[in-house]
Amino acid sequence: MKVYIEKISSYDYDKILNFVEKLFIDTNMDEILKNKSTILLKPNLLGPHEPEKAITTHPLIIEAVVEILHRMGKEVWIGDSPGGVVSPTLVFQKTGMCNIILKYNLQLMDFSKEGIEEVKNSKTSFNIAKPFLEADAVINICKYKTHSLMLFTGAVKNLYGIIPGLKKSDYHRQFPGTIQFGEVISDLYSLVNEKICLNIMDGILGMEGEGPSSGKVRNFGVLFGSVSASALDLIASSMMGFSPDEIPYLAEALKSDKLLKSDIEVEEEWKNYVFENVDIKSVKRSSNLMQHFPPFLKDIFKYFFNYYPDFKKGCRKC
């Protein structure tokens, strides 16, 4: 399984488009998508943040994928479910997605409004947004960031956004520890990984320190791509300085993809490559603290992540 990496120091559309074109050719997307008409793009749209804050997937990465899919005659959907109770409309506007949707006349999928379907295995049940399940294929377009609970967030963790609305907070409440929540992420991945035909990671601007939203913007100057989300995360997290064993969902995600670490390939120049002085200490401290919370503090955490209706004067019965 190959992970493709390209040096691109700024959001130069022509260079981004060239990388995505080569990625489609090298991964044989023409053949993979041959009989598939509707393609869902799943970016990281965590909240209403401008692209330069490096919290969300940059719109030019999305646009490059859309342009190529339109050349192939595909119908393109863009969808996500932002965190918390923030307005999805505001998120789509702030992140630059609305401009692309209007320019290419795309179908916008607000996962919180499109309905859900229960998908489960022997351990866990998930309510998943219907557009994810109804699309013929999904391209997962994530952001390169640290994460205060999971240490790293990339392609596998980005799929947590297919769970609409406040149910995401509910899983955080029930499974507040790093290991426990990692099992939620790997369980979800095992149920949906076959739907993903391609993964692209926006690492031109990424985040270090207290990610996924409060860290420091860093110009890593790279784009990643792979058919396997777990292979992509293994390489990308290692390049930040993490050991693969530290990422709590990674071992199980690799099993879901039927991959060993030795199966994953990169070009020679990227073998054992690690960016200098990436701030990963902050998230290691945060993650370690959460993992070793005494039970009574975890109960307090669960209380504050609970939610209930609060009808006030401004209520619009939404």
Side-chain angles (χ1 to χ4, degrees):
M1 178 61 62
K2 187 163 184 178
V3 175
Y4 301 86
I5 308 171
E6 184 84 12
K7 290 181 182 177
I8 302 179
S9 60
S10 65
Y11 288 99
D12 181 316
Y13 183 71
D14 290 338
K15 291 180 179 179
I16 293 167
L17 183 63
N18 184 57
F19 170 77
V20 178
E21 285 174 331
K22 289 192 298 182
L23 183 63
F24 268 59
I25 292 169
D26 290 345
T27 56
N28 201 23
M29 279 299 117
D30 273 345
E31 186 62 29
I32 290 172
L33 298 178
K34 184 177 180 180
N35 298 315
K36 302 182 187 300
S37 58
T38 303
I39 314 301
L40 171 69
L41 307 187
K42 167 59 181 79
N44 181 331
L45 302 180
L46 179 62
H49 306 285
E50 294 81 2
E52 59 269 18
K53 292 184 177 178
I55 297 171
T56 55
T57 305
H58 198 284
L60 288 181
I61 313 294
I62 304 297
E63 183 169 359
V65 178
V66 171
E67 181 174 332
I68 293 168
L69 289 173
H70 270 203
R71 289 181 203 164
M72 297 168 68
K74 307 300 181 184
E75 180 182 355
V76 181
W77 300 348
I78 296 180
D80 197 10
S81 174
V85 295
V86 65
S87 162
T89 301
L90 179 62
V91 172
F92 293 130
Q93 289 172 346
K94 282 277 192 178
T95 56
M97 295 300 136
C98 282
N99 294 334
I100 297 171
I101 288 161
L102 292 171
K103 181 177 178 179
Y104 291 91
N105 192 29
L106 306 180
Q107 185 74 30
L108 172 61
M109 295 294 179
D110 176 356
F111 287 174
S112 62
K113 294 181 179 179
E114 300 291 340
I116 59 171
E117 186 171 321
E118 186 180 29
V119 178
K120 57 185 176 181
N121 59 18
S122 59
K123 295 189 291 183
T124 317
S125 172
F126 295 97
N127 292 330
I128 294 176
K130 280 188 175 180
F132 179 89
L133 300 171
E134 292 171 352
D136 294 323
V138 177
I139 298 179
N140 181 23
I141 311 178
C142 58
K143 194 70 175 176
Y144 191 35
K145 300 187 291 183
T146 49
H147 194 282
S148 293
L149 182 61
M150 292 290 95
L151 297 178
F152 173 80
T153 176
V156 174
K157 174 66 173 61
N158 191 47
L159 296 171
Y160 193 57
I162 67 176
I163 300 172
L166 288 171
K167 187 61 179 176
K168 290 193 293 295
S169 298
D170 197 30
Y171 284 117
H172 276 296
R173 180 181 63 83
Q174 293 180 61
F175 307 99
T178 299
I179 302 301
Q180 298 93 325
F181 191 67
E183 291 174 356
V184 172
I185 297 300
S186 58
D187 282 351
L188 175 63
Y189 185 65
S190 71
L191 288 169
V192 303
N193 64 321
E194 292 185 0
K195 190 83 175 188
I196 314 299
C197 65
L198 186 64
N199 301 272
I200 299 172
M201 183 181 291
D202 172 14
I204 297 175
L205 289 184
M207 182 169 287
E208 60 181 353
E210 293 286 354
S213 60
S214 301
K216 297 169 285 187
V217 177
R218 173 156 175 170
N219 187 333
F220 291 101
V222 287
L223 281 179
F224 301 86
S226 181
V227 170
S228 164
S230 63
L232 180 48
D233 280 1
L234 185 143
I235 295 299
S237 62
S238 297
M239 287 170 62
M240 272 192 176
F242 293 109
S243 163
D245 297 335
E246 291 180 300
I247 311 302
Y249 59 80
L250 194 50
E252 290 301 317
L254 287 166
K255 287 180 185 177
S256 294
D257 285 340
K258 299 178 175 60
L259 288 175
L260 300 174
K261 295 175 188 177
S262 56
D263 296 328
I264 301 169
E265 303 174 8
V266 293
E267 294 292 341
E268 192 66 34
E269 67 175 304
W270 298 107
K271 288 181 179 177
N272 303 313
Y273 185 93
V274 180
F275 290 106
E276 292 184 2
N277 302 318
V278 180
D279 179 8
I280 60 176
K281 292 180 181 178
S282 304
V283 289
K284 285 188 176 185
R285 283 195 301 267
S286 299
S287 179
N288 191 55
L289 179 64
M290 286 298 298
Q291 188 56 32
H292 293 93
F293 262 11
F296 80 93
L297 285 179
K298 289 185 179 181
D299 290 340
I300 293 173
F301 180 89
K302 289 181 181 181
Y303 172 81
F304 281 107
F305 258 94
N306 210 352
Y307 50 85
Y308 51 87
D310 185 12
F311 299 105
K312 296 183 179 179
K313 187 177 179 180
C315 175
R316 294 177 293 171
K317 297 182 180 179
C318 59

